[in-house]
Amino acid sequence: TTLGKRFATIAQEMLLGLDRLEMLIDRYPMRGIKGPVGTAQDMLDLLDGDSDKLAQLESGVAEHLGFDAALVSVGQVYPRSLDYDVLSALVQLASAPSNLATTVRLMAGHELATEGFRPGQVGSSAMPHKRNPVLTENLTGIARIVRAAVVPALENVALWHERDISHSSVERVFAPDATIGLDFALHRLSGVVENLLVYPDAMQANLDRLGGLVHSQQVLLALTQKGASREDAYVFVQRNAMKIWAEGGSYLDRLKADADVAGYLSATELEALFDLNQHFRHVDTIFTRVFGKTA
């Protein structure tokens, strides 16, 4: 795969999370103004028992606050499944920064891509040559805090009868922690992407180090299209690949020298299968689907 394709996958993940959050905002109901136990008896007393006036008042309050609707019957205790819905949406949105951070950290270990590094910045206090991915490590941890809110939010769904405030002590912790944590993670993600350093030559060297093994799937499919059974084709491809892992060398040369493979594919056909550009043919289409026509 390509780095751009990996980032496009993460971007799509973020867009899906944003879509869910926007849909949730559009349909999230106002709790309502129906008194302590949800029967609105105190409000009706003030409105001379007129239910129509109560409905108008509630609709006016909902409109003023930006809600489309109010819950039918809610007092101080409302369905906490609504809160769980919110927190799980935040967790979904936090997954994109977390996944991108993990990708960058893994690539940094092979010097394929790293965080931006300021002049004079300390990487490791003991080893000055290191450029530790501190920002993405931090992003990974912040995402854990957001994800940690899901379990207490789920536990808060079941309340005792009509009066239980065991949930409020939990909400006072995880609600601000999750929302503030996600906000911070998104800002940090923006900075990481803006200053990301990418090393295409190192990526190419990493591919070359494998001796062409990345093309094994193309060889497998080509053999089956030439009439070999998939089982036999897999054996031909794998046994030569294992020799490269053990001894190094050129995977293409190994395949050319294999009599079973040569019975189906010529040297010219094999060489055509080892063209990296065949992996890039569909990438622009993927970018367009994720980012739009301007990708």
Side-chain angles (χ1 to χ4, degrees):
T1 189
T2 67
L3 180 63
K5 165 61 172 58
R6 177 67 182 128
F7 276 27
T9 301
I10 295 170
Q12 185 174 46
E13 187 173 38
M14 176 172 286
L15 292 171
L16 290 171
L18 287 170
D19 284 344
R20 182 183 174 193
L21 200 60
E22 289 174 356
M23 288 188 293
L24 183 61
I25 291 171
D26 289 341
R27 65 178 173 80
Y28 200 87
M30 186 179 75
R31 278 178 51 185
I33 47 174
K34 297 184 174 68
V37 295
T39 58
Q41 81 286 356
D42 51 350
M43 300 298 297
L44 286 171
D45 287 343
L46 294 172
L47 298 171
D48 300 322
D50 191 332
S51 297
D52 290 337
K53 288 183 179 180
L54 177 63
Q56 292 173 4
L57 174 62
E58 196 165 54
S59 297
V61 172
E63 182 179 358
H64 176 72
L65 295 176
F67 290 92
D68 289 333
L71 291 173
V72 175
S73 180
V74 176
Q76 295 185 55
V77 179
Y78 65 93
R80 252 53 188 192
S81 56
L82 291 169
D83 292 348
Y84 173 74
D85 206 8
V86 171
L87 266 298
S88 61
L90 296 184
V91 169
Q92 182 177 357
L93 185 54
S95 62
S98 178
N99 284 335
L100 185 138
T102 302
T103 294
V104 173
R105 291 173 65 192
L106 289 171
M107 297 187 77
H110 299 282
E111 294 296 332
L112 304 177
T114 60
E115 298 174 5
F117 202 78
R118 301 187 308 275
Q121 179 178 332
V122 175
S124 166
S125 59
M127 293 171 281
H129 71 280
K130 292 186 68 179
R131 296 183 295 180
N132 294 348
V134 292
L135 299 178
T136 45
E137 288 174 355
N138 179 259
L139 261 177
T140 303
I142 294 296
R144 291 173 188 163
I145 293 175
V146 180
R147 288 196 298 270
V150 168
V151 172
L154 184 59
E155 291 293 326
N156 268 1
V157 170
L159 305 179
W160 285 17
H161 301 303
E162 291 294 331
R163 193 69 178 100
D164 178 10
I165 58 170
S166 63
H167 49 75
S168 61
S169 55
V170 182
E171 292 162 352
R172 289 188 179 99
V173 175
F174 72 66
D177 281 359
T179 50
I180 293 171
L182 177 58
D183 178 74
F184 179 84
L186 293 174
H187 280 282
R188 173 140 292 179
L189 173 71
S190 178
V192 168
V193 172
E194 183 178 354
N195 297 299
L196 190 69
L197 300 175
V198 179
Y199 308 108
D201 291 342
M203 294 179 181
Q204 184 64 57
N206 189 51
L207 289 172
D208 294 341
R209 182 178 60 86
L210 297 174
L213 290 179
V214 294
H215 302 291
S216 66
Q217 184 191 37
Q218 278 65 42
V219 179
L220 173 66
L221 294 176
L223 285 169
T224 59
Q225 291 166 1
K226 287 287 188 174
S229 69
R230 195 182 191 283
E231 291 74 13
D232 287 344
Y234 193 93
V235 171
F236 302 159
V237 172
Q238 186 188 51
R239 72 187 179 200
N240 286 286
M242 292 303 104
K243 292 176 183 177
I244 298 300
W245 282 119
E247 304 169 14
S250 168
Y251 187 43
L252 177 58
D253 291 343
R254 289 275 186 183
L255 292 170
K256 286 180 178 179
D258 188 304
D260 289 324
V261 175
Y264 292 96
L265 295 170
S266 68
T268 301
E269 289 172 323
L270 282 170
E271 290 169 2
L273 296 173
F274 277 67
D275 181 5
L276 276 176
N277 288 322
Q278 64 188 317
H279 298 282
F280 308 147
R281 290 177 297 182
H282 191 56
V283 170
D284 287 341
T285 301
I286 295 172
F287 289 165
T288 300
R289 289 178 180 175
V290 176
F291 299 112
K293 294 182 180 180
T294 58

